[in-house]
C-alpha cells in the first residue's frame, strides 16, 4: 500500500472510531440533544458535504435514479442504526458500542453465505465466525451478568451492526456502478428529512453545552461527511476488500478514545472480547485465495 493509502487508511480508522465518543457527549440527557436530533443534524451536515462532491463528479443523477434502493439503504445504514446507537450510548460506554459494531464483518459473512457465497464455509472463515461469536458472547455475557452494561442497549447496537452489514451488500448488488459518495449523500439527505419533524418537536428547552454542540459539528463534518469521502477515496486506491479492514482500526480507536478522553472503564468483558471479535472478524471476512 502506498503512503497515501496508509494515510487514508489510518485517517478513516480515526474518523470512524471517534463518532462513538461524539455521540456519547451529544446525547447527554442533561445538557445535550435527543438521539433523533443527533441523527438529523449529523446527516444534514454530511449530505451538505457529500452531495456537492457527487454533483462535481456528475454522479448524483445515477444515485437519484436508484432511489428505490438508496431509500432502504438509508433505513438500514443510517435511519435505523444511528438512532439505535445514539439511544444505547445513553446507557453504555462509547468503547463498548464501538466494539459491538466490530461484529459487522461477521454478520456480512453470514449474509454472504445466504446469498450463495460458498467460500464462507472455508475452514479459515468458519473458524473466524466461531471465534468472533465467542468474543461477542464473552462481551455480552460478562457485561450483562455483571450488570455493568444495559443488556437492551447492547442488543440495540448489535441490531445496528446487522443493519450495517446487510445494507452495504444490498446496495452494492443493486447499484454496482454508482458512486458511493453519491449514494451516501442522497441517503443522508433522506435520513435528515426523516428525522426533521422529530428534531422540531424534540428540540431541547434546557441549556445545551458547548461540548454537545461541538460534538454534533465534529460528528457531522468529520465522522459523517469527511469520513465517507475519505473512505471512498481509499477504496479507489486499495479496493473494497482491503478497505473494509479499516473496521478493525475503528474499533481500537473507539475503545482507546473512550478510555483516554471520557475516562470510561476497560471492563473485563471488553478486554476479553475485543481481541476475539477483531481476530474473528478478520478471518471471517477474508476470502480464501484460489490457486
Amino acid at each position: 500500500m502506498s503512503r497515501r493509502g496508509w494515510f487514508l487508511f489510518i485517517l478513516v480508522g480515526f474518523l470512524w472510531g471517534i463518532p462513538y465518543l461524539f455521540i456519547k457527549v451529544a446525547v447527554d440527557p442533561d445538557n445535550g440533544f435527543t438521539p433523533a436530533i443527533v441523527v438529523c443534524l449529523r446527516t444534514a451536515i454530511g449530505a451538505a458535504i457529500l452531495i456537492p462532491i457527487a454533483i462535481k463528479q456528475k454522479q448524483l443523477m445515477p444515485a437519484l435514479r436508484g432511489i428505490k434502493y438508496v431509500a432502504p439503504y438509508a433505513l438500514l445504514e443510517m435511519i435505523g442504526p444511528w438512532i439505535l446507537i445514539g439511544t444505547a450510548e445513553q446507557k453504555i460506554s462509547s468503547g463498548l458500542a464501538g466494539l459491538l459494531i466490530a461484529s459487522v464483518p461477521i454478520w456480512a459473512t453470514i449474509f454472504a453465505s445466504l446469498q450463495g457465497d460458498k467460500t464462507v464455509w472455508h475452514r479459515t472463515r468458519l473458524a473466524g465466525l466461531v471465534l468472533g461469536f465467542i468474543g461477542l458472547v464473552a462481551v455480552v455475557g460478562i457485561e450483562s451478568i455483571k450488570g455493568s452494561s444495559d443488556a437492551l442497549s447492547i442488543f440495540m447496537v448489535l441490531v445496528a451492526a446487522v443493519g450495517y452489514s446487510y445494507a452495504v451488500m444490498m446496495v452494492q448488488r443493486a447499484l454496482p456502478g454508482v458512486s458511493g459518495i453519491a449514494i451516501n449523500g442522497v441517503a443522508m439527505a433522506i435520513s435528515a428529512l426523516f428525522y426533521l419533524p422529530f428534531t422540531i418537536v424534540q428540540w431541547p428547552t434546557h441549556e445545551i453545552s458547548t461540548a454537545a454542540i461541538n460534538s454534533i459539528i465534529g460528528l457531522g463534518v468529520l465522522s459523517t461527511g469527511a469520513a465517507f469521502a475519505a473512505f471512498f477515496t481509499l477504496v479507489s486506491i486499495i479496493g473494497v476488500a482491503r478497505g473494509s479492514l479499516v473496521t478493525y482500526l475503528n474499533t481500537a480507536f473507539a475503545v482507546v478514545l473512550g478510555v483516554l478522553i471520557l475516562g470510561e472503564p476497560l471492563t473485563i468483558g471488553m478486554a476479553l472480547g475485543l481481541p476475539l471479535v477483531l481476530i474473528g472478524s478478520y478471518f471471517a471476512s477474508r476470502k480464501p485465495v484460489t490457486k
Side-chain angles (χ1 to χ4, degrees):
M1 193 188 304
S2 66
R3 277 187 289 183
R4 182 172 181 239
W6 275 114
F7 171 76
L8 287 170
F9 187 83
I10 295 172
L11 176 63
V12 173
F14 174 75
L15 293 177
W16 276 348
I18 204 171
Y20 305 101
L21 184 154
F22 284 145
I23 292 169
K24 185 72 175 178
V25 175
V27 298
D28 187 303
D30 295 324
N31 50 29
F33 302 92
T34 67
I37 294 176
V38 171
V39 178
C40 180
L41 296 180
R42 75 175 289 191
T43 51
I45 295 171
I49 294 172
L50 295 186
I51 288 178
I53 297 175
I55 293 173
K56 184 176 180 180
Q57 295 176 341
K58 298 181 180 179
Q59 290 291 321
L60 183 61
M61 290 311 297
L64 290 174
R65 284 195 290 268
I67 194 72
K68 66 179 181 180
Y69 300 110
V70 177
Y73 169 76
L75 176 65
L76 295 171
E77 178 76 10
M78 300 169 190
I79 294 173
W82 289 356
I83 193 72
L84 288 172
I85 294 171
T87 302
E89 282 204 52
Q90 291 182 320
K91 294 186 178 180
I92 64 174
S93 69
S94 64
L96 177 57
L99 193 161
L100 294 170
I101 291 297
S103 65
V104 166
I106 296 174
W107 307 116
T109 301
I110 294 173
F111 284 127
S113 72
L114 296 175
Q115 296 289 332
D117 185 354
K118 302 303 181 184
T119 64
V120 171
W121 306 114
H122 185 274
R123 60 180 180 274
T124 301
R125 299 188 76 183
L126 192 58
L129 276 174
V130 173
L131 191 62
F133 271 114
I134 291 174
L136 281 178
V137 170
V139 174
V140 175
I142 294 174
E143 295 292 318
S144 299
I145 292 172
K146 288 186 63 181
S148 54
S149 297
D150 181 64
L152 178 58
S153 297
I154 290 174
F155 176 74
M156 291 168 72
V157 180
L158 287 176
V159 171
V162 173
Y164 280 159
S165 62
Y166 184 76
V168 173
M169 181 181 301
M170 179 270 295
V171 81
Q172 284 180 341
R173 285 177 178 271
L175 302 171
V178 181
S179 162
I181 288 178
I183 289 172
N184 282 279
V186 174
M188 288 176 193
I190 292 171
S191 302
L193 290 172
F194 180 89
Y195 280 111
L196 181 58
F198 298 95
T199 298
I200 295 171
V201 172
Q202 296 178 4
W203 193 261
T205 55
H206 59 256
E207 184 177 354
I208 303 169
S209 70
T210 301
I213 294 172
N214 290 338
S215 292
I216 287 289
I217 296 172
L219 192 59
V221 174
L222 300 177
S223 301
T224 307
F228 276 88
F231 175 73
F232 289 108
T233 303
L234 174 66
V235 165
S236 69
I237 297 173
I238 66 174
V240 175
R242 294 172 71 191
S244 65
L245 297 179
V246 78
T247 301
Y248 315 124
L249 190 58
N250 300 350
T251 303
F253 272 119
V255 173
V256 171
L257 290 170
V259 172
L260 294 181
I261 297 179
L262 297 180
E264 295 176 344
L266 183 62
T267 64
I268 295 175
M270 292 170 63
L272 291 177
L274 178 59
L276 294 177
V277 170
L278 293 182
I279 295 171
S281 295
Y282 172 77
F283 284 109
S285 61
R286 185 181 182 185
K287 290 191 175 182
V289 178
T290 56
K291 296 182 179 180

